[in-house]
Structure formats: C-alpha cells, structure tokens
Amino acid sequence: MKFLAITLIVHAPDPVTGVQKSTHDRFREVLDNALLAEELGFDGFGVGERHERPFISSSPPVVLSHIAALTRRIRLFTTVTTLSLLDPVRAYEDYATLDHLSGGRLELVIGKGNGTAQRELFRVTPEDQWERNAESYELFRRIWRQEKVTYSPRFRPELIEAEVLPRPFQQPIRVWHGSATSRESVELAARHGDPLFSANVTHPIGPYAELVRHYRQRWEHHGHDPALAVVGAGTAGYYAARTSQEALSVYRPVFEGRLALQKQLGLEPVFETLDDFVERSSALIGSPQQVIEKVHRYHEQFGHSVLHLHADADGLPDARHRDSLELFQSDIAPALRRAIPDPPWPWGPVEPIEPAPAPH
C-alpha cells in the first residue's frame, strides 16, 4: 500500500485557538509539510484546487512546482484538478511543464470540483459541468498523446493540427478520477481504464463503497482486466497515539472546534459526537493497532491500494501532529505495506519519452 499526505490549503482560523495565519505563512506551512512528508517516507504529496473561500489553493501547478524544486523523491499529486473549470490546453501546458521540472513525478487526480462560487467565477453551470469535465478530459488526453491535435469541442474553440508545447516527459501521464458519490466520474474512469480516487471523507462508508463497486463493474464492462482496477481512498482525519485514550483526549478539541464551526455556518453535522466520528467515519483516530484494523475494514469494502492522510495539523499542536505522522510511518505504515498490495505499476515515471534522434 502507498500513502499520500495531502492539503486543500484551507485558509481559516484554527479550529481550536481561533488564530488565523497570514496567507504568506499558510503557504510556507504547506511547503514545510511537503518537506516533512518526504522526510518521513510518504510516497506522495497532494495539493488540491479550489477557487472559493476558505481555500487559497487556486494555483496547484505553481505550488507543486515549488515543492518539486525542494524535494527529490516524493510523487506530486493534484487532489483534485478541477478540469471542468479549466481550459484543457492551458492545463496541459502547466502540467506538462511541471512534469518536466519534477523529473516525471507528477500524477493528476481530476474532478469536476465543488461549490457554487467557483462555478460562477468560471461561468460553469450545474447542467453543463459534467459535460465540460468529460470533454476537457478527452481533449487533455489527446494533447498528451498526440503531436498535433484536431478537435471540435463544444466549450472552447476548435483545434486544427494544433501543436501544444512542451511535449510531455511522461508518456502518458497517469490520471486518477476523484469522486465522492458521482457515477459520471466513475464512468469516465472505467471507460478510459483509469484509476479511481474515492473522496471518502464526509459520510459513513456506504455510499463510497457502493461507488467503488460500481466502478469495478463498469471497468469489466469496458473490457479491462479486473486485476488492474486501482482504487485510492481518503480519510476524514488522522491522529494516532500510543493509547486510544491519549488519541481521543488530544483530538477531542479539534473535533469540537470543527463541530462548532459547522453549526455556526448552518450546516447539519453528519457526526454529532467524537465517538460517532471515530466509529462511523473514515477518520483514523486511536492507537496504531486501531488505525491498522480500521484501514483493513475499509480495504475489505474498497480493495484500495493508496490511502491519503491530511498533511495539515488541522488544529493539533505542531509537535503532536509531527509525532503522530512519525508514529504512522514507524508503527502503522509498515504493517499495512506488508498486508495490502501496491498498485500494479512501478511507483515512478510512466515511460518517459525517448528523445528524438538528432537530424543528420
């Protein structure tokens, strides 16, 4: 099993202290967390994309390029790229450049994105967002694979023998499809033979497990080898300590702060108590053995081979957050790596393009 640390770069008051970092300090924290993830042995670091409050993750190619310059080994994920909002030509240019600068460490997770404000910012409607997502992905795939592209899309000007530069380092880039409960994303992933990343953060396991089962069914329907269907899954929170009592005690103020914020915003919480959150959500809160057992329970439903944790402290004191991540790598990850297989591909660049022979 492989493990990612991810951030959506939320810019909001700390759920426990109420203090909000400056924008500059928040970005510095993201860079520090990426360095920590590589230091501790995480397999990937992910940066989300949002174009509305309370997020400042509107430019993941820039953030990931900076992380690429600071790191050497860790793979770089977009979690997710909101392709339904973007011009796929411009997105290709950004990510092909990033892939070169990182030495082929980029992996894309695409999705339609969420939120009314960002849809309005890009003049995307609820009615056309799925069509935009599918069309943008189709064009993105063609540009990544073809030297020149002719295509007549609905949502952007047509391309006629268009050459888009730079040509990619990885041929082709691996693209995951991020989905919460939408069958449209699942169908797109299954049809193209792409891996699926289940959000798995808001609700109990039921709807996510149903979606993963649907993905595997559609994967086989489209003629793909069932053994090659790859699933990743998120977590709603993480904190491990030597004992479950310590983990619950430390995490309780974080949960209560988030619960208060949800109620303040007029949202109806899915999990009203910490005990319910720990029991029925995907959060990994407890002793190392409890965390291992819970991942296995989810694996029985998902069959996933990649798992993400949040890179941000999210209200935990920095020292405790680091201690918990160190405990994950020392006591939890090794047991899960032994028991749960990796994805069925090398964890590295996807067949870098060979340079063209020099002209005579």
Side-chain angles (χ1 to χ4, degrees), residues 1-6 42-46 77 79 176 196-201 230-238 282-284 291-292 294-296 298-299 302-310 328-329 332-333 336-337 340-343 347:
M1 184 171 238
K2 298 294 187 182
F3 303 102
L4 316 180
I6 75 157
F42 280 86
D43 302 293
F45 188 85
F77 281 72
T79 51
W176 302 66
L196 179 73
F197 216 109
S198 171
N200 190 40
V201 296
V230 174
V231 174
T235 54
Y238 165 72
S282 62
L284 303 174
V291 170
I292 291 168
K294 190 166 189 179
V295 173
H296 276 289
Y298 270 75
H299 183 262
F302 294 166
H304 57 308
S305 54
V306 179
L307 179 75
H308 86 47
L309 306 178
H310 289 280
F328 184 88
Q329 290 295 356
I332 299 170
L336 294 174
R337 289 187 198 277
I340 299 175
D342 288 345
W347 196 254

Side-chain angles (χ1 to χ4, degrees), residues 11 35 79 192-193 195 205 322 342:
H11 190 223
L35 289 170
T79 51
H192 287 291
I205 193 172
R322 180 182 177 115
D342 288 345

Side-chain angles (χ1 to χ4, degrees), residues 5-278:
I6 75 157
T7 179
L8 300 180
I9 322 187
V10 174
H11 190 223
D14 184 288
V16 177
T17 67
V19 175
Q20 181 167 323
K21 293 182 170 69
S22 70
T23 300
H24 177 79
D25 287 345
R26 184 69 182 96
F27 278 124
R28 291 302 315 176
E29 183 178 50
V30 170
L31 300 179
D32 290 343
N33 287 337
L35 289 170
L36 177 62
E38 177 159 274
E39 174 192 337
L40 295 181
F42 280 86
D43 302 293
F45 188 85
V47 173
E49 179 178 346
R50 297 289 189 277
H51 300 271
E52 59 187 341
R53 291 182 181 274
F55 308 98
I56 52 173
S57 51
S58 57
S59 188
V62 176
V63 177
L64 288 170
S65 289
H66 196 102
I67 292 171
L70 298 174
T71 58
R72 292 292 176 267
R73 176 197 56 80
I74 200 165
R75 291 193 67 74
L76 307 173
F77 281 72
T78 65
T79 51
V80 302
T81 294
T82 54
L83 203 54
S84 65
L85 307 179
L86 307 178
D87 179 342
V89 175
R90 191 71 183 96
Y92 165 83
E93 291 174 333
D94 285 341
Y95 285 115
T97 300
L98 169 53
D99 198 38
H100 277 282
L101 295 176
S102 67
R105 288 188 282 147
L106 175 66
E107 302 217 13
L108 287 170
V109 186
I110 69 162
K112 72 167 180 63
N114 294 298
T116 301
Q118 65 179 9
R119 281 201 309 266
E120 292 176 349
L121 185 64
F122 290 90
R123 301 183 66 84
V124 172
T125 70
E127 293 74 26
D128 69 21
Q129 60 186 345
W130 292 112
E131 291 181 59
R132 285 178 178 271
N133 188 60
E135 178 184 279
S136 292
Y137 182 49
E138 177 62 34
L139 180 51
F140 187 93
R141 282 175 59 89
R142 293 190 185 200
I143 297 171
W144 206 282
R145 288 163 170 78
Q146 299 173 17
E147 295 285 342
K148 294 186 178 180
V149 175
T150 297
Y151 192 62
S152 297
R154 175 184 170 194
F155 296 106
R156 61 147 288 132
E158 70 174 341
L159 300 176
I160 301 174
E161 287 296 292
E163 184 179 32
V164 189
L165 301 173
R167 296 312 302 152
F169 181 81
Q170 294 186 89
Q171 180 60 38
I173 190 74
R174 181 175 296 119
V175 178
W176 302 66
H177 295 253
S179 181
T181 56
S182 60
R183 293 199 168 197
E184 290 88 346
S185 292
V186 164
E187 177 62 28
L188 194 63
R191 183 167 73 247
H192 287 291
D194 295 330
L196 179 73
F197 216 109
S198 171
N200 190 40
V201 296
T202 306
H203 303 286
I205 193 172
Y208 304 116
E210 180 182 349
L211 202 71
V212 170
R213 287 193 294 272
H214 181 67
Y215 166 69
R216 295 185 185 280
Q217 291 167 2
R218 297 304 296 170
W219 176 277
E220 291 192 54
H221 170 81
H222 288 291
H224 304 301
D225 183 348
L228 300 180
V230 174
V231 174
T235 54
Y238 165 72
Y239 183 72
R242 288 297 174 187
T243 67
S244 60
Q245 293 85 355
E246 180 186 353
L248 291 170
S249 175
V250 171
Y251 199 81
R252 187 173 300 279
V254 176
F255 175 81
E256 291 175 348
R258 290 179 182 168
L259 187 66
L261 178 60
Q262 289 177 24
K263 292 181 177 179
Q264 179 184 334
L265 295 174
L267 303 175
E268 184 174 346
V270 177
F271 308 102
E272 290 276 6
T273 67
L274 177 58
D275 288 343
D276 189 36
F277 181 65
V278 171

